[in-house]
Each structure stands twice: as C-alpha cells, then as structure tokens.
Amino acid sequence: MAVAELTAPTCAKQGLGSSQLSYLSARTSSFRRLSFRPPRRTHSSRISCSVNQTAQAPVAVETEVPKSNKPECFGVFCLTYDLKAEEETKSWKKLINVAVSGAAGMISNHLLFKLASGQVFGHDQPIALKLLGSERSFQALEGVAMELEDSLFPLLREVQIGIDPYEVFQDVEWALLIGAKPRGPGMERAGLLDINGQIFAEQGKALNAVASRNVKVIVVGNPCNTNALICLKNAPDIPAKNFHGLTRLDENRAKCQLALKAGVFYDKVSNMTIWGNHSTTQVPDFLNARINGLPVKEVITDHKWLEEEFTEKVQKRGGVLIKKWGRSSAASTAVSIADAIKSLVTPTPEGDWFSSGVYTDGNPYGIAEGIVFSMPCRSKGDGDYELVKDVIFDDYLLKRLTKVLFSP
Ligand SMILES: NC(=O)C1=CN([C@@H]2O[C@H](COP(=O)(O)OP(=O)(O)OC[C@H]3O[C@@H](n4cnc5c(N)ncnc54)[C@H](OP(=O)(O)O)[C@@H]3O)[C@@H](O)[C@H]2O)C=CC1
Ligand SMILES: O=C([O-])CC(=O)C(=O)O
C-alpha cells in the first residue's frame, strides 16, 4: 500500500479526524466566560525597602503593595525595579511572556521552577510567568507564586496569577495549557474529553482575543491531540501551525525502552517519531529510529519484540504508571514539556528530529488533513518547525498508521 492511500477521504470521516471534529461542532459553543475576579492582593503591613536605599535600615510601615503598571502582578514582582537597565548590562534577551494553565497542579509544580530558572528558554532569557488557575485553586496558586518569590530566580521578572484567561493570556508568546482533569486507574484518556474539551474551547477563544498573534501553544491536558484541535479551531486568527499536542513524553519513553533493550545509554537513540495520538493507539516508529546512528532494526534484531512488546510498552506506559503511583505522571511530563519547548527554541541537531502533535494540513505523508497528529518535526530554533520529509514506510508501519486513522 502506498503512503498516499492514507489520504482516503474516509479517514477524515470515520477515524481519528471524525472523533476530533464531531466533538468540535457539538461542544464549542456552550462555554461561558469566567467572571470571578480574585481580590487584588494587598498587605496590611510590610517592610518598605527600595533597591536604592541599601544604606538605610528598613522601616516598618502600614502600606499596600507599591503601585505598579503591572495590574495583576504578584508580591515582590510588583516592585518597580529598574530591570531594563540591568538587562542591557547583561545583554539578556527581551522579556518573554509565558502563560501556564493548571498552574496549581502537579505537572506545573515541576515545570514552573524549570521555566523560571532558565533551564528551558535559556540562561539569557528573562521571563514573565502568567499563571492561570480557578476559583477553587486560587489559594494554592498564591502558594505557588510565593514559592516562586522565595526562589529568587534572577531571570524571573514578573509573576501574575489569575482565573480569567482573557486577562492571563494578554500578549503571551507561549501558552502551556496543562490545566485539565487527569484520568484515574482504569480510565482511557479519551474518557476525559467531555469534561476537558470545553476548557480548551474557552482558552482557544481567549488566546485568539488577547495573546500575541504568533503565540506558540502546547496543549498537555488530555486527550491532548483533540484538545489541541479544539483550541486551534477556536483561535482562527492564530496560525494553526502554532498549536502542539504534547507527545514528547511518548518519544522520551520510547527512547528509554530502545536504549534498555539495546544496552546503550538513552542519549544514543535518535530520530524517534511518535505517530498519531497521545493514546494507546499511538505508533512509536522503530523503522526510522536510530541507535548510535544505525537503524534500530540492525541493532535490535528481535523484531517480534519491537513490533509487539516495545510498541505496547510505550503505548501503555502512562496507564501502568497510574496503577503504580496512584496518579498520572507529573515530573516526567514536566521534563517532556521542557524538552518540547527546547526543541522549538534551539536548532535541531543535524539529521535528527523530534515528535509533536501538530496540525496535519499540507503534511507530506498522506495523513488525513484537518486533525492534530504526532509527526516528525525539525526546527531552526525560531519557535517554528517543519515536517521531516525523508522518512520511510514499510508495510508494518503503514498498517499501524492506517489503524490509528480508522480507530474510533
Ligand atoms: N500529554 C501528556 O503527555 C500528559 C498529559 N497529562 C494531562 O495533564 C493534565 C494535568 O495533569 P496534572 O497536572 O497531573 O493534574 P492535577 O490534578 O495535578 O492538576 C490539574 C489542574 O487542572 C485543573 N482542572 C481543570 N478542570 C479540572 C477538573 N475537572 N478536575 C480536576 N482538575 C481540573 C485544576 O486547576 P484549576 O482548578 O486551577 O483549574 C488542577 O489543578 C491532565 O489532563 C493529565 O491527564 C498528564 C501527563 C502527561
Ligand atoms: O496516562 C495518563 O493519563 C497521563 C498521561 O497522559 C501519561 O502519563 O502519558
């Protein structure tokens, strides 16, 4: 069968595309905008000490947090330090605005400190973090912001917390959409769609209204491919290409399993594609992957293991972890979000690629258009990506891909 056969119109009507798209039309119009606003944070008593007063002892006064032109800023980040001048002396880059939803949740708790430390966007990249929570999580969100204050990160220039995406997403250049219900033991990720889908419709609308016109959006909340599609369909003024459903955790898991089987360290595994959804139908591609620069099938000659055990291990890793841990993976997910961002802001090493769930329009593989599907990507490091053209397909891979496209 040729790759082009995957373009059969029925793909879009019956398969993955149809479940993604029918959800869209049924649900996207029924979400209300949050109207609750948290009270502006004030302190009845604080120590007043401006940066220019180092020779003077601090004086305790009754006052509010200093006035600032950052209306929703949090705590120490409201102070009007002359950070611009300081940035120039350090030849730092221009500040970037990064929104994180579900900011009081497990994944964010690992991710935020990586972002603020410079590990993700670079050690010369000042950052403003805009944290989105909800009425129920607002106290927890304050706790997270307090921990960020106490960490004294030099690159962290602003922290804003809020529950209205139309405020929190204002001018953001990156939106990391994590906030969504996680699954519990025995559930499939698709079972979360009814609860989580509407979150991404609302957030897509908010991004469309107020975010930077070139915002890059990484959707993590499950089912992340469908949620990414819902989000992009609700943000028609932002390029569809800018939306990603996170499949980097699957890529990392697949690399680890191949390394384990081959008896090499996992940095020796490259060119790992995850095709399809972040779900149990995903196809970890061992045909194109390499170990020490050689095709995996030359290094691991147990092809039955590759086709059966390896594939299933990667597909079901999240569920197995939930059974053991009692909740879904958080730390490794945060690492994979960091990896996904780094792959977009640094040039992809020569000959290698990374996986991301991206919009299929114009793809060179014959995958049905109009859906979000994980495919191999390369980046020049400018936040954008191109799909990799020089991948090969054999009967096994085509059969698996066809199954993904036609599964309900
Ligand atoms: N793509 C991937 O590779 C992975 C995706 N995930 C997914 O990421 C999402 C977040 O996971 P995690 O951070 O561990 O989850 P947590 O339960 O720790 O936090 C999720 C946050 O989502 C918000 N939320 C919105 N709606 C709901 C709801 N109905 N029930 C519960 N929480 C809700 C809550 O914040 P608030 O109240 O502030 O809105 C909550 O703090 C999940 O959907 C999970 O399945 C997890 C691992 C890997
Ligand atoms: O399995 C889950 O529900 C959480 C997740 O997406 C993963 O760990 O891959």
Side-chain angles (χ1 to χ4, degrees):
M1 180 174 26
V3 182
E5 286 179 37
L6 294 173
T7 46
T10 43
C11 285
K13 289 201 188 102
Q14 296 173 12
L16 180 76
S18 88
S19 60
Q20 289 186 5
L21 293 170
S22 60
Y23 181 84
L24 275 178
S25 53
R27 301 301 295 259
T28 51
S29 57
S30 63
F31 198 75
R32 279 185 308 118
R33 191 176 155 178
L34 284 169
S35 56
F36 173 86
R37 268 170 193 247
R40 186 71 50 79
R41 190 173 127 117
T42 56
H43 291 185
S44 58
S45 171
R46 62 178 290 280
I47 303 293
S48 164
C49 179
S50 99
V51 278
N52 298 324
Q53 290 175 322
T54 45
Q56 266 180 276
V59 187
V61 288
E62 288 284 309
T63 179
E64 291 200 337
V65 169
K67 287 232 172 335
S68 158
N69 57 359
K70 305 168 205 159
E72 304 294 333
C73 64
F74 185 90
V76 74
F77 302 102
C78 302
L79 292 171
T80 51
Y81 298 117
D82 188 4
L83 295 174
K84 269 215 168 101
E86 199 190 320
E87 273 156 30
E88 274 159 27
T89 64
K90 290 187 168 147
S91 42
W92 275 350
K93 293 179 182 160
K94 193 170 155 280
L95 182 89
I96 50 164
N97 293 298
V98 180
V100 180
S101 75
M106 292 297 301
I107 297 172
S108 295
N109 203 254
H110 291 276
L111 180 65
L112 290 171
F113 296 83
K114 290 182 194 303
L115 294 171
S117 72
Q119 282 178 51
V120 181
F121 286 100
H123 292 280
D124 58 352
Q125 178 61 76
I127 186 168
L129 286 175
K130 320 269 179 161
L131 310 184
L132 182 66
S134 69
E135 199 169 340
R136 71 180 163 230
S137 69
F138 195 73
Q139 290 251 332
L141 207 55
E142 285 193 304
V144 171
M146 286 164 67
E147 286 213 81
L148 285 166
E149 281 185 305
D150 296 345
S151 301
L152 308 182
F153 288 118
L155 290 164
L156 184 57
R157 295 307 159 118
E158 289 178 32
V159 172
Q160 176 185 332
I161 61 177
I163 66 164
D164 182 347
Y166 287 82
E167 284 179 3
V168 174
F169 292 166
Q170 188 75 47
D171 298 327
V172 296
E173 285 125 332
W174 287 83
L176 313 177
L177 304 186
I178 302 169
K181 186 180 166 65
R183 67 176 168 152
M187 281 177 78
E188 279 300 318
R189 295 183 187 92
L192 296 168
L193 189 56
D194 273 351
I195 296 170
N196 289 342
Q198 55 187 334
I199 296 173
F200 295 89
E202 169 70 358
Q203 293 182 358
K205 284 179 195 148
L207 286 168
N208 199 54
V210 300
S212 153
R213 294 304 78 188
N214 199 24
V215 60
K216 306 291 189 284
V217 183
I218 300 187
V219 176
V220 179
N222 274 319
C224 67
N225 292 54
T226 307
N227 289 337
L229 184 70
I230 292 170
C231 198
L232 76 85
K233 289 288 176 188
N234 280 279
D237 302 332
I238 295 167
K241 204 184 173 197
N242 291 14
F243 291 76
H244 299 257
L246 184 79
T247 54
R248 185 52 169 266
L249 180 57
D250 307 294
E251 173 182 330
N252 291 354
R253 287 169 171 166
K255 282 180 167 170
C256 181
Q257 293 307 315
L258 290 176
L260 197 61
K261 182 75 175 171
V264 299
F265 197 55
Y266 35 68
D267 66 338
K268 302 292 184 292
V269 186
S270 64
N271 304 82
M272 188 70 238
T273 309
I274 300 295
W275 296 97
N277 255 351
H278 175 63
S279 78
T280 48
T281 61
Q282 67 178 266
V283 183
D285 175 356
F286 53 81
L287 179 68
N288 288 286
R290 294 185 165 255
I291 297 175
N292 275 324
L294 293 170
V296 163
K297 286 175 89 173
E298 283 179 26
V299 181
I300 299 174
T301 50
D302 182 354
H303 295 172
K304 192 166 154 39
W305 179 86
L306 286 169
E307 290 181 8
E308 292 170 13
E309 275 181 62
F310 164 70
T311 300
E312 192 174 320
K313 248 196 175 126
V314 179
Q315 289 170 331
K316 297 198 172 157
R317 182 85 164 174
V320 171
L321 199 125
I322 290 173
K323 274 200 197 120
K324 291 193 183 288
W325 194 220
R327 57 164 180 73
S328 59
S329 49
S332 59
T333 305
V335 170
S336 75
I337 299 168
D339 288 344
I341 297 169
K342 280 190 275 182
S343 288
L344 290 166
V345 299
T346 47
T348 311
E350 188 66 34
D352 201 1
W353 60 69
F354 58 91
S355 300
S356 190
V358 291
Y359 200 49
T360 50
D361 276 19
N363 79 84
Y365 318 113
I367 308 284
E369 302 220 327
I371 57 175
V372 170
F373 198 87
S374 183
M375 300 182 283
C377 305
R378 290 181 54 79
S379 176
K380 295 188 178 79
D382 54 0
D384 216 339
Y385 64 89
E386 281 165 15
L387 293 173
V388 175
K389 292 203 178 69
D390 49 343
V391 288
I392 54 171
F393 296 87
D394 63 5
D395 285 348
Y396 172 85
L397 186 53
L398 283 171
K399 211 167 107 197
R400 285 280 177 164
L401 284 177
T402 310
K403 203 170 155 200
V404 180
L405 285 162
F406 285 93
S407 64

